[in-house]
Amino acid sequence: MSDKKRIMLIDNEEGLCRMMEAVLRDNGFAVKAYTRSFHAVEEYAAGQWDLVVTDIKMPGMDGIEVLQKIKGKDPSVPVIMITAYATVEMSIQALRKGAYDMLTKPFEPEELLYRVKNALSHTKLLVENRELREELVGKFRFDNIIGAAESLKAILEKVEKVAVRDTSVLITGESGTGKELIAQAIHYNSPRRDKKFVAINCGALPESLLESELFGHRKGAFTGARENRQGLLETADGGTLFLDEVGNLPMNVQKTLLRFLQEQEFHRVGDTSPTRVDVRILSATNTDLKAAVKRGEFREDLYYRLNVVNIHLPPLRERQTDIPLLAAHFIALQNRKFGTQVKGLSAKALELACSYAWPGNVRELKNVIEASMAMESGDSLTLPVLAQFIELPHGSASQRSLDGEDGEYTRALSRFEMDYLKGLLQKNHGNIEASAREAGMNMATIYRKIKKYSIRKEDYS
């Protein structure tokens, strides 16, 4: 069967139809042209076409109606609209009804080819993303793990194997690589899937509260303990407890956790009788626990109890082929959430995204896409907007390209960024770490931008 992309052309001008058909056929596409819109819509069947190119102004059934009827049959097919009378109102109407792009007459063959290839490339990316997500949902019942890199596939195969065995798993990797997603994938594919998945960040609570949060307490065990309280271990009974940043556990809590892993029982704070529960422990860390063991900061016996199976997640910079898929996924999520129709990243923005190191990994990419979509007014995320949230290497191709953009536009975006930073710092009461976390930037980036814009404390206090 031919793997040529199939394009339906609809235009009542026979001469234009023949020209477009010849250009597209010469470039390897399978094309069928229609000069009667009713006939084209009647013959259209979902799954038989990869792209539709239709004129707007036609007798009988106009292009807008053609667009609606074809989208009613096949919502996923991209449609390019052709018009000699392009207006803002007409473009908005067509785009709102699902058109992928607008092409204004007269146009050169090269422009037609560019628009067609761009639409087909974007669709191919969405199809790959959807097929991958369907594969993962079917195999792992979890659709937020996106990627096609061989390293990720190997990890997911390991997840499938360890999920059915009731053993402890230590998930390692840099911050933002998706350790909790992997923990959830393990839980939801295990025999415990119908019970609770409970997560706690061991670095988010002070030592005085962490022991009570995990193990619970008896009334009167300490000042403020006005009633008996279950801890997270009891809450997760029958299910899974995920200990994120487990390297931050204080020594007294490590000792109690070790006893639970050995005996499946523990004492609530202030209680003399043991409590037994059936809980699987999954843990994660972005630090070197072996080094912590050598420094005497982490119990060696607990380390081996937690690290029965290790799953290491690579940083995003080692999964560069996954960046377009992840970006498309996050853009689609934002489109659904806010009713927008951003088609994707421009060529230059995608080049930057794929070359950037992403020190905050997948979490940073997600936050940058969300922030860029809030700032972008066009139908694609452009380099100047994306660059507001990424530190460009000095002298890089992206920086040179950005320097060549319209000066006023760049200055306007700089003002946006300065106002955004001031608002962020004000919201977080000047806390640089909290501001960096919310923006998906590292702290060094925040400090550089504060210096770049000469933002003073009184600007946000």
Side-chain angles (χ1 to χ4, degrees), residues 196-211:
K196 287 185 178 181
F197 176 87
V198 179
I200 179 174
N201 186 329
C202 300
L205 291 173
E207 182 178 337
S208 58
L209 295 179
L210 187 56
E211 185 175 16

Side-chain angles (χ1 to χ4, degrees), residues 101-144:
D101 203 353
M102 301 286 292
L103 187 56
T104 305
K105 299 177 185 177
F107 53 83
E108 296 296 324
E110 291 78 12
E111 185 177 3
L112 171 66
L113 277 173
Y114 172 78
R115 301 294 181 95
V116 165
K117 289 179 179 179
N118 189 44
L120 291 172
S121 175
H122 177 71
T123 303
K124 179 174 180 288
L125 188 64
L126 292 180
V127 168
E128 288 176 353
N129 198 15
R130 185 177 65 250
E131 288 176 350
L132 178 66
R133 187 161 60 247
E134 288 171 354
E135 176 188 341
L136 293 175
V137 169
K139 194 171 183 181
F140 301 102
R141 298 181 63 197
F142 196 75
D143 64 357
N144 284 329

